[in-house]
Amino acid sequence: MQDISLEKDVCVKDGGVNPWRGLWVAAECPDNKLNDIILELIAKGRILADKLDTHVTAILMGSDVSWAAETLIRHGADKVFVVEHPELAPFTEEVYSSVLAGLARRYRPEIILAGATLAGRAYIPRVATLLETGLTADCMDLDVNVEDRTLLQTRPGWGGNLFVTIACPTRRPQMATVRPHVFKKGQDDPRRHGETVFIRLEGEWFLHRVRVIESIKEKAVAENDLYGAKVVVVAGRGVENDKDMALVKELAEVLGGVVGGTRPVVDAGLLPEKLQVGQSGVSISPRLYIGIGVSGAVQHTAGIKGAGVIVAINKDPDAPIFGLSTYGLVGDFRDIVPELIRRIRHKNRRGG
């Protein structure tokens, strides 16, 4: 175990970019479970780091989380800094941001990536403030300019109507949060080897102004679990009323999937906002995506890049969604979907 001494509350003033090297991923491990977004970021970080000829380091903070270090290495990390302490069990923005900023001051990574999760959105902006650098939130894509080593951070802009690419050429580290399921996880390679470094912190690092009295978990509703769904049936603008929506839900039910919607459907009040799929909603990566009455606007398709098989049902043969589809059915979904439901149920009854 390595003991280190970190400076606290010291702002980076030199502004030079050359001493900063390496790509970091802030690894969340809530309830002793490694978030999928972290493995997605490790995989993407591996690609970016290889372009820059540098290393990938995961920063793992929490209580009894060291078991996850091997998993991170197997998925692409070269090194894992493990910061374990009982005081890190309840997540507090102040402590997590202070620790991550302190490590960054000492080791000077040029890039820090984090998930755009509830925790990430809470503490990563504080880290950027402590380090006096920029942060691009809710990114949908990342790349690097090898010549000047800038991180190119793409996210929705202008009310979701355009994608903008943001760079931070004069400050380090370059920081970005990324939505879950934008990137794919890498292969689990048990042959990979890396270095695990334990960081021991005591005393003042865990002082904060918030006292956690009780944590109450929100109950997950299975039918609304878009993130982990293997089958997602999405209602588009062509779905106009509750009767149409009932068809969409019935198809999702017989397929064992869940229902999502495009922004017009959510705006019409046919689905709650949390079921919106797209750049201003949730990014998904199901094995099977079925779009019903979905036109294929870029604001929506940006959120389904990780989907496996894409099936589109639309009466407009020129709908852009057909350009992305594995299979396309041209026609009125009110005729097509009932027939699909009938055939699937018949097949299910026969055990096929």
Side-chain angles (χ1 to χ4, degrees):
M1 181 175 289
Q2 179 182 356
D3 292 307
I4 67 170
S5 175
L6 301 177
E7 298 178 59
K8 287 196 70 176
D9 304 325
V10 177
C11 295
V12 178
K13 295 292 187 184
D14 58 10
V17 299
N18 288 328
W20 301 75
R21 285 292 182 269
L23 184 148
W24 282 14
V25 174
E28 291 179 31
C29 199
D31 299 325
N32 265 354
K33 182 181 178 183
L34 202 56
N35 265 348
D36 283 348
I37 176 64
I38 304 308
L39 299 182
E40 294 161 14
L41 290 177
I42 291 288
K44 184 63 177 181
R46 181 75 270 160
I47 295 171
L48 301 179
D50 287 344
K51 286 185 177 182
L52 295 171
D53 191 23
T54 190
H55 53 271
V56 176
T57 300
I59 311 300
L60 185 59
M61 293 186 282
S63 178
D64 299 323
V65 293
S66 56
W67 62 268
E70 183 181 347
T71 301
L72 293 165
I73 290 170
R74 291 203 315 259
H75 281 81
D78 300 303
K79 180 187 291 187
V80 180
F81 283 137
V82 179
V83 186
E84 278 187 320
H85 196 284
E87 289 291 330
L88 291 169
F91 169 78
T92 52
E93 302 162 20
E94 203 170 351
V95 172
Y96 272 66
S97 57
S98 294
V99 173
L100 183 54
L103 285 167
R105 288 192 191 100
R106 179 181 178 101
Y107 293 101
R108 297 196 165 196
E110 57 195 309
I111 294 171
I112 298 179
L113 306 180
T117 59
L118 289 175
R121 286 171 171 159
Y123 87 99
I124 292 299
R126 291 176 63 93
V127 177
T129 301
L130 290 170
L131 296 174
E132 293 191 345
T133 189
L135 167 67
T136 303
D138 283 358
C139 291
M140 301 288 285
D141 200 5
L142 298 171
D143 203 349
V144 289
N145 184 332
V146 176
E147 292 184 0
D148 61 7
R149 304 182 74 85
T150 52
L151 177 66
L152 306 176
Q153 306 151 89
T154 301
R155 58 150 295 153
W158 300 97
N161 294 315
L162 292 172
F163 284 107
V164 295
T165 298
I166 299 169
C168 181
T170 60
R171 302 296 300 175
R172 293 293 184 273
Q174 304 162 90
M175 296 184 62
T177 60
V178 179
R179 296 182 184 184
H181 301 290
V182 169
F183 304 126
K184 289 184 178 295
K185 288 189 291 187
Q187 293 291 323
D188 184 349
D189 183 358
R191 297 168 300 176
R192 289 198 86 256
H193 297 285
E195 181 183 7
T196 301
V197 179
F198 288 86
I199 308 295
R200 180 176 296 163
L201 301 175
E202 299 293 344
E204 63 176 350
W205 284 99
F206 304 108
L207 298 177
H208 53 86
R209 292 164 289 186
V210 174
R211 184 162 63 95
V212 178
I213 300 173
E214 183 182 9
S215 296
I216 301 174
K217 294 181 182 178
E218 183 179 5
K219 289 184 179 178
V221 182
E223 61 266 31
N224 290 343
D225 186 10
L226 280 172
Y227 281 129
K230 291 181 171 55
V231 177
V232 177
V233 181
V234 171
R237 187 187 292 273
V239 176
E240 298 176 338
N241 50 50
D242 289 337
K243 184 178 179 181
D244 292 346
M245 185 58 69
L247 272 179
V248 175
K249 291 180 178 178
E250 188 174 355
L251 179 58
E253 181 184 353
V254 298
L255 289 170
V258 300
V259 173
T262 62
R263 184 168 180 173
V265 171
V266 171
D267 288 345
L270 295 172
L271 286 175
E273 187 176 357
K274 63 183 177 182
L275 297 185
Q276 182 179 325
V277 176
Q279 67 182 33
S280 54
V282 175
S283 296
I284 58 174
S285 53
R287 291 179 183 173
L288 173 62
Y289 163 100
I290 300 179
I292 298 177
V294 174
S295 66
V298 65
Q299 292 90 341
H300 173 67
T301 57
I304 62 171
K305 290 194 298 183
V309 174
I310 296 177
V311 178
I313 304 173
N314 198 305
K315 62 184 178 183
D316 178 5
D318 296 322
I321 189 71
F322 287 123
L324 302 173
S325 303
T326 314
Y327 303 101
L329 299 173
V330 179
D332 191 330
F333 73 85
R334 298 175 186 85
D335 300 324
I336 295 172
V337 171
E339 181 63 18
L340 282 176
I341 293 171
R342 187 187 69 78
R343 294 193 181 200
I344 294 168
R345 282 194 167 137
H346 178 69
K347 187 176 180 181
N348 288 344
R349 280 196 294 270
R350 296 180 62 184

